[in-house]
């Protein structure tokens, strides 16, 4: 992604959902995207897949800019780029059985030559994601959240994609089920060589699965580094506050001082120049409010957008 932007025109002005974001994901790796609700994480994922048409910037997939492709050309690439949606219930058609839901991408893309091949392909992916054959004729409302999400994962992987956007795939699930789905995603990545963009607001989850982490705030990337570096040496005040919010199951941790974020989130509609986090940052100066702060390398492979750093 190079200088990717996605703006929405509203009655109050132009909403900068994703504003000048650049990064790359290596094949077979996972880029975790974190930030609080409304920071543009999901919009970024949908824009990368061209489900939202980008306002500006480039989206390079195997060297080809897919941002400006016509619908017919994009349909040829879509099977290679899939998405696992946040809510496993609302993303599934409640009138279709499990088998029909998983078969649908194969039928739409005309992958299978006959019904026998369609059945074999569906049975194979159900076994891969841990869905029992007895559930094939069940409906989504008859299943729990974990099984529904496995259907969503099966739908995404049945076309043998190379790149998958995981939009908070475990946020609606119980903690025990979360661990199962995360482990499943990691096993599938290792087995098929998948590349993930993993979107979440939970840093403890993103630490478990990501190779690199990007922190977003109001449409901007404020820090990006390997997961070890982010947790060991966070430099942006917003990243530090997010890390401080992770619950620690320890009596001693109750007495540790937390870095709390003060103030209200500023509006992403027609934002003023300067650091988006300046209104809530305890270290902000007048220079922070004068112009946008670019990402700079503060250590090898560690990028941050902060004048203080």
């Amino acid at each position: 992604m190079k200088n990717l932007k996605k703006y929405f025109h509203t009655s109050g002005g132009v909403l900068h959902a994703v504003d000048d974001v650049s990064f790359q994901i290596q094949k077979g790796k996972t880029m975790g995207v974190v930030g609080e609700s409304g920071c543009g994480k999901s919009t970024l994922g949908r824009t990368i897949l061209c489900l939202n048409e980008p306002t500006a910037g480039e989206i390079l997939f195997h060297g080809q800019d897919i941002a400006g492709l016509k619908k017919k050309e994009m349909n040829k690439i879509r099977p290679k780029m899939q998405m696992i949606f946040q809510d496993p219930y609302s993303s599934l058609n409640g009138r279709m059985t499990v088998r029909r839901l998983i078969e649908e991408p194969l039928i739409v893309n005309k992958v299978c030559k006959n019904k026998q091949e369609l059945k074999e392909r569906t049975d194979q992916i159900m076994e891969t994601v841990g869905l029992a054959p007895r559930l094939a004729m069940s409906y989504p409302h008859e299943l729990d959240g974990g099984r529904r999400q496995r259907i969503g994962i099966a739908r995404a992987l049945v076309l043998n994609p190379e790149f998958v956007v995981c939009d908070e795939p475990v946020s609606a699930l119980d903690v025990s089920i979360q661990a199962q789905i995360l482990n499943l995603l990691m096993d599938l990545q290792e087995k098929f060589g998948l590349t993930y963009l993993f979107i979440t607001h939970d840093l403890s989850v993103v630490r478990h699965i990501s190779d690199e982490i990007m922190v977003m705030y109001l449409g901007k990337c404020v820090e990006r580094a390997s997961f070890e570096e982010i947790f060991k040496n966070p430099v942006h005040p917003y990243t530090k506050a997010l890390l401080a919010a992770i619950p620690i199951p320890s009596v001693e941790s109750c007495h540790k001082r937390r870095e709390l974020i003060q103030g209200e989130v500023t509006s992403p509609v027609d934002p003023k120049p300067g650091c988006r986090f300046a209104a809530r940052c305890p270290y902000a100066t007048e220079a922070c409010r004068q112009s946008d702060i670019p990402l700079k390398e503060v250590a090898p492979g560690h990028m941050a957008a902060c004048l203080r750093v």
Side-chain angles (χ1 to χ4, degrees):
M1 278 52 71
K2 293 184 179 180
N3 307 112
L4 189 61
K5 298 181 181 180
K6 178 57 186 175
Y7 299 163
F8 295 97
H9 293 275
T10 69
S11 56
V14 180
L15 190 152
H16 292 221
V18 177
D19 204 353
D20 201 18
V21 173
S22 299
F23 65 97
Q24 64 180 8
I25 312 174
Q26 298 298 331
K27 182 175 176 60
K29 301 294 184 180
T30 300
M31 169 69 80
V33 181
V34 297
E36 58 195 319
S37 297
C39 72
K41 306 185 300 295
S42 294
T43 303
L44 173 68
R46 295 177 68 88
T47 304
I48 288 172
L49 296 184
C50 295
L51 297 178
N52 291 331
E53 186 177 346
T55 303
E58 296 177 86
I59 305 168
L60 300 174
F61 185 68
H62 291 307
Q64 180 184 15
D65 185 7
I66 65 171
L69 292 182
K70 295 181 180 178
K71 185 176 180 181
K72 189 175 181 179
E73 296 171 319
M74 191 64 204
N75 285 343
K76 296 178 182 178
I77 297 177
R78 286 227 179 273
K80 300 177 183 178
M81 307 172 70
Q82 293 294 306
M83 188 166 189
I84 300 170
F85 293 94
Q86 179 175 355
D87 186 350
Y89 192 58
S90 63
S91 64
L92 301 175
N93 187 337
R95 297 187 178 187
M96 290 185 179
T97 62
V98 172
R99 176 175 296 281
R100 184 70 177 84
L101 284 165
I102 298 173
E103 286 177 347
E104 187 182 27
L106 296 169
I107 295 170
V108 169
N109 290 277
K110 300 177 181 178
V111 173
C112 300
K113 298 176 182 178
N114 51 55
K115 290 184 178 180
Q116 181 60 30
E117 185 181 347
L118 182 66
K119 183 180 183 302
E120 290 175 358
R121 190 86 171 257
T122 305
D123 291 341
Q124 182 183 10
I125 197 66
M126 284 183 66
E127 182 182 353
T128 301
V129 301
L131 284 170
R134 62 184 173 81
L135 300 174
M137 300 311 293
S138 301
Y139 290 88
H141 72 271
E142 298 175 315
L143 306 176
D144 58 24
R147 287 192 177 96
R148 288 176 195 155
Q149 195 58 285
R150 287 173 190 267
I151 299 171
I153 294 170
R155 279 169 60 87
L157 299 186
V158 74
L159 293 172
N160 296 326
E162 298 177 35
F163 174 60
V164 181
V165 174
C166 307
D167 185 9
E168 303 210 33
V170 297
S171 63
L173 306 177
D174 294 336
V175 175
S176 58
I177 307 298
Q178 283 186 12
Q180 292 177 23
I181 297 299
L182 286 174
N183 289 330
L184 171 63
L185 289 171
M186 294 171 71
D187 291 342
L188 293 171
Q189 182 177 38
E190 185 176 348
K191 183 177 180 179
F192 298 112
L194 298 171
T195 305
Y196 289 149
L197 180 79
F198 193 91
I199 298 167
T200 182
H201 62 271
D202 190 338
L203 273 161
S204 58
V205 167
V206 83
R207 181 179 189 174
H208 185 65
I209 196 171
S210 300
D211 298 290
E212 194 172 359
I213 295 175
M214 181 172 73
V215 182
M216 286 188 70
Y217 185 79
L218 286 184
K220 287 278 192 181
C221 172
V222 296
E223 190 165 0
R224 189 179 77 241
S226 65
F227 81 92
E228 299 103 329
E229 184 71 10
I230 285 286
F231 280 84
K232 182 180 177 182
N233 184 34
V235 295
H236 198 282
Y238 179 61
T239 307
K240 290 181 178 181
L242 286 180
L243 289 171
I246 299 176
I248 302 173
S250 169
V251 176
E252 289 78 11
S253 67
C254 297
H255 306 292
K256 290 184 179 180
R257 184 176 177 274
R258 292 184 180 273
E259 292 191 37
L260 300 177
I261 304 177
Q262 305 294 330
E264 295 292 327
V265 179
T266 54
S267 174
V269 177
D270 294 328
K272 296 177 181 178
C275 177
R276 303 278 167 91
F277 190 61
R280 306 172 72 189
C281 181
Y283 311 107
T285 63
E286 191 58 36
C288 298
R289 299 180 176 89
Q290 289 178 353
S291 60
D292 291 341
I293 314 300
L295 275 174
K296 291 185 178 180
E297 193 170 40
V298 297
H302 191 159
M303 310 291 288
C306 182
L307 291 179
R308 183 168 179 262
V309 178

